[in-house]
Amino acid sequence: PVAATGQTPAGGKAVAAADASLCAGVLELRRRVEAATWDVAAQEEELLVWEARLQRIQDVNRLKARLAAESTERSSSCRRRAAALDGITEGSEDSSQASPGSDKRRELAKAPTVDLAEE
């Protein structure tokens, strides 16, 4: 309160100083909150980038796994067909009945196979 003389009492100066100190503190805290908000926003954006990258890596890995499984299946299928051809060519020992390509098939059927799944 202001005295009738227009001057503030001695206690008023202390209150004004405390008020100014509080205002300065509030302004500093607001500045810190704003800086922290910007930091959090930047970190959230970085997280989104990493999540997108992780998703792409997982998609590629799923594709690679699918292709590897298909390759293994094709390899198994080729081995089964080769075994079937081997049985056919071994069963027809009479060379007069053999087709012109039977020697080549016999060679291919006896060739070692490579199991890609073991590598």
Side-chain angles (χ1 to χ4, degrees):
V2 177
T5 61
Q7 297 178 356
T8 58
K13 288 183 182 180
V15 170
D19 188 39
S21 177
L22 284 174
C23 286
V26 167
L27 290 175
E28 176 61 21
L29 290 174
R30 284 184 180 166
R31 185 195 63 75
R32 285 184 185 178
V33 166
E34 186 176 342
T37 301
W38 280 104
D39 287 345
V40 168
Q43 289 175 353
E44 286 176 340
E45 188 173 324
E46 184 179 2
L47 179 61
L48 291 174
V49 169
W50 279 104
E51 285 176 341
R53 183 173 181 208
L54 175 63
Q55 184 62 46
R56 284 192 304 270
I57 290 170
Q58 287 175 333
D59 291 345
V60 167
N61 285 344
R62 278 191 286 274
L63 176 62
K64 286 179 182 179
R66 184 175 57 82
L67 292 174
E70 289 173 3
S71 175
T72 301
E73 178 58 35
R74 281 193 304 271
S75 177
S76 296
S77 175
C78 287
R79 281 194 301 274
R80 285 191 299 270
R81 281 183 287 195
L85 285 176
D86 191 38
I88 291 171
T89 57
E90 286 179 6
S92 61
E93 290 296 321
D94 185 11
S95 62
S96 64
Q97 295 177 349
S99 65
S102 65
D103 290 334
K104 184 69 172 172
R105 283 194 300 269
R106 190 174 300 124
E107 288 176 33
L108 290 173
K110 291 180 182 179
T113 59
V114 176
D115 189 3
L116 297 176
E118 293 178 1
E119 292 181 1

